[in-house]
Amino acid sequence: MYNYEKNREQVVKDLDRVIKLIHMRADEIPEEEKAQMVKETVEHFNTCVSPGWINYRKCVSSETEGSAVLEWEDGGSYFRGLYDNEKFLDAMGGFGIYVAGHSEELIIDTVKAQLSRQGLHSQELIDPLRGYLAKAMADCTPGDLQQCFFTNAGTEAVEIAMKLARFKSKGKWFISTTHAFHGKTGGALSLTAKGIYRQPYLPLLQQVQHVEYGNAAAIRTAIENLREVGESIAAVILEPIQGEAGVIVPPAGYLKEVRAICDELDVILIIDEIQTGMGRTGTLWRCDAEEIVPDIMTFGKAFGGGVMPITGLICRPCMWSEELIENPYLLGSTTFGGNPVCCAAAIAALDFQLKNDIPGQAREKGAKIKAGLEAIQAKYPTVIKEVRGVGLMMAVEFFADEYGYEFSKEMYNQHVIISGTLNNSKSIRFEPPASLTDEEIAKILDASEKATAKAKEVFGL
């Protein structure tokens, strides 16, 4: 007899309790139930998820005030926990997810309407929302980008882009860059340049060469050297702004020069817009600002409107070879990619972007935040080394990891959520939603100044 048979009644009882909680707002949950939820969640993460995962969070660190915060609701620019005093202003944006804000009504209502009719698709009949979304993407992306393939996570979109580049070019080598981040599945991790994530899994895909980011000549040299010794090139892949590296903006003209090199040497160019796209950097896509058209562009993060997970790629028609027309499953056959509920969310997210000029809001509000952060840097020059970024994608770089960690901890204590990179706390990212009001911008900047002052005090700077 399977183990669950012994516990069937208890498992059903537990699940029924959780389902009941799902139907309740925070103010409807009894206080004793809230306390039990906090206790159980910490225990469940430590025993059934990963102790390291929960210990990594500031919200359960012994160095922060209070106990674990369970996020239960969101809206506008805020996350909310179970208790009245657990309201956090979001200046992190889920690493780029929440450009449109939290639980935006148009997007939520569209998803609910789709769910009331159908959740997933049959896998055999034609699902119309995938077609409508693909057409909208062809209308809203640079140049002649047209063919779409929808996936579930950013790293999956990169994997499919790699397969498409190899399939079309018949080449083997990829040119990526130092400090790049493209995901953590096997192929995407091979392109990623963070050793801490690569080392446990080496050797990865061998035909990848990393060159200096921002140096177009290095890309030319890599391509020419590989060809000189008989190797073939599948593609060059770049982030138009490096996100996980700490919001590194390349020199003006860099992407145009890389595009020209790829055209001259007949090499496919993949631009990874997973974090920079959907208005975050002040244009719908960062490619728009750089005035280039990639051969393949990946997208994700905010594409589902902060409500549903959907990612994908779009490419030029010339990339879709005859073999893929004859057998589209050669590229991939993801079960849930492009499902109706996620497509509904993305359609609503694009509609919301265009109706409300989210790129314009990102430019305007990002400029206010950046100017405020630069003023704080000028006031505390021994703490903050640099402020950089574009639109609502910014970073504050500190002179030491410890300063950034103290800053981050104090921001949390002031109920503002920000984030370091996945490697360290030296660069703290600000990627808030475009739903920010002037009052909320002022709160972020006030908290930032207080947190910087606290770091200065703690370290005697």
Side-chain angles (χ1 to χ4, degrees):
M1 182 179 292
Y2 293 111
N3 185 53
Y4 76 83
E5 291 288 355
K6 300 177 183 178
N7 304 310
R8 181 192 293 267
E9 289 186 10
Q10 185 59 50
V11 171
V12 170
K13 182 179 178 181
D14 291 344
L15 294 178
D16 283 345
R17 171 179 165 241
V18 175
I19 290 171
K20 182 179 178 181
L21 290 170
I22 290 171
H23 286 271
M24 300 171 72
R25 297 196 65 82
D27 58 7
E28 299 171 329
I29 302 173
E31 293 300 305
E32 62 273 17
E33 183 72 61
K34 292 178 181 178
Q36 185 68 12
M37 289 170 67
V38 172
K39 178 182 176 182
E40 289 173 343
T41 299
V42 172
E43 179 184 339
H44 296 161
F45 267 81
N46 282 333
T47 58
C48 300
V49 182
S50 166
W53 182 272
I54 199 164
N55 291 340
Y56 178 77
R57 262 70 191 155
K58 293 184 292 296
C59 61
V60 291
S61 169
S62 60
E63 298 180 53
T64 56
E65 297 176 3
S67 60
V69 175
L70 310 189
E71 60 180 81
W72 195 250
E73 298 166 1
D74 70 351
S77 304
Y78 289 88
F79 285 110
R80 296 176 179 85
L82 294 175
Y83 296 94
D84 291 341
N85 65 340
E86 294 177 343
K87 182 180 178 181
F88 291 84
L89 180 56
D90 179 19
M92 183 179 85
F95 303 109
I97 296 170
Y98 296 105
V99 176
H102 292 267
S103 295
E104 165 53 44
E105 185 177 359
L106 170 66
I107 301 168
I108 291 287
D109 287 348
T110 305
V111 169
K112 286 180 177 178
Q114 178 59 40
L115 273 173
S116 71
R117 292 196 335 275
Q118 181 189 31
L120 301 178
H121 52 301
S122 69
Q123 310 293 323
E124 178 59 27
L125 304 178
I126 299 175
D127 42 313
L129 295 191
R130 191 185 317 207
Y132 285 124
L133 179 57
K135 174 60 165 61
M137 283 297 290
D139 291 340
C140 293
T141 48
D144 60 347
L145 292 173
Q146 181 172 315
Q147 256 74 35
C148 288
F149 190 105
F150 298 116
T151 50
N152 307 282
T155 189
E156 185 184 3
V158 171
E159 296 280 354
I160 298 297
M162 294 175 70
K163 290 176 68 177
L164 178 58
R166 274 193 164 182
F167 200 93
K168 174 63 178 177
S169 68
K170 310 305 179 188
K172 298 295 185 288
W173 281 78
F174 291 92
I175 311 299
S176 184
T177 56
T178 53
H179 309 294
F181 186 91
H182 296 288
K184 295 199 283 287
T185 52
L189 185 57
S190 302
L191 303 177
T192 292
K194 290 182 180 287
I196 190 172
Y197 297 115
R198 292 167 53 87
Q199 287 168 357
Y201 307 105
L202 296 174
L204 292 162
L205 185 67
Q206 295 296 287
Q207 294 93 349
V208 177
Q209 184 166 334
H210 293 87
V211 302
E212 181 186 12
Y213 184 71
N215 182 349
I219 290 176
R220 176 188 290 277
T221 299
I223 294 170
E224 291 178 342
N225 286 349
L226 284 167
R227 285 180 171 170
E228 180 68 22
V229 296
E231 300 288 357
S232 56
I233 313 300
V236 171
I237 183 167
L238 298 173
E239 298 163 89
I241 296 174
Q242 291 189 323
E244 294 295 340
V247 189
I248 306 301
V249 183
Y254 170 65
L255 292 181
K256 274 191 173 183
E257 189 174 352
V258 173
R259 175 72 274 183
I261 290 168
C262 288
D263 287 340
E264 177 190 341
L265 301 180
D266 193 23
V267 172
I268 292 167
L269 176 60
I270 304 170
I271 295 294
D272 184 345
E273 289 259 17
I274 288 168
Q275 191 165 162
T276 54
M278 291 297 284
R280 177 157 295 282
T281 59
T283 49
L284 190 55
W285 312 103
R286 184 61 186 170
C287 289
D288 294 327
E290 299 289 346
E291 298 181 336
I292 66 161
V293 180
D295 300 300
I296 304 170
M297 187 183 84
T298 58
F299 49 83
K301 297 286 189 190
F303 190 58
V307 175
M308 297 298 294
I310 179 169
T311 63
L313 65 81
I314 187 167
C315 67
R316 288 174 150 168
C318 62
M319 294 296 298
W320 221 260
S321 61
E322 192 62 34
E323 299 100 313
L324 290 179
I325 295 172
E326 293 175 358
N327 185 357
Y329 296 109
L330 283 174
L331 192 58
S333 54
T334 172
T335 300
F336 301 111
N339 70 74
V341 175
C342 288
C343 283
I347 288 167
L350 279 170
D351 186 53
F352 183 80
Q353 283 269 341
L354 300 175
K355 282 180 177 175
N356 296 278
D357 187 21
I358 296 301
Q361 290 195 50
R363 288 195 302 274
E364 177 187 345
K365 295 174 182 180
K368 290 179 181 179
I369 296 172
K370 188 177 182 184
L373 293 173
E374 288 172 338
I376 295 170
Q377 177 198 10
K379 188 174 180 180
Y380 298 94
T382 60
V383 183
I384 298 176
K385 181 179 180 180
E386 183 182 12
V387 175
R388 56 179 176 263
V390 178
L392 289 172
M393 187 176 181
M394 293 163 281
V396 173
E397 183 175 341
F398 295 85
F399 282 100
D401 285 351
E402 293 79 8
Y403 305 171
Y405 181 79
E406 186 64 37
F407 176 91
S408 178
K409 187 175 68 173
E410 183 59 28
M411 290 288 279
Y412 174 80
N413 289 338
Q414 295 184 59
H415 286 214
V416 178
I417 298 178
I418 43 82
S419 174
T421 69
L422 289 180
N423 272 7
N424 56 60
S425 299
K426 191 174 182 181
S427 292
I428 298 295
R429 284 179 291 172
F430 287 73
E431 297 188 53
S435 56
L436 287 174
T437 64
D438 286 342
E439 292 75 18
E440 289 163 354
I441 291 173
K443 181 177 179 179
I444 289 172
L445 293 174
D446 180 63
S448 297
E449 179 157 6
K450 290 175 180 175
T452 307
K454 181 69 180 295
K456 182 177 187 295
E457 176 189 349
V458 168
F459 294 99
L461 301 172

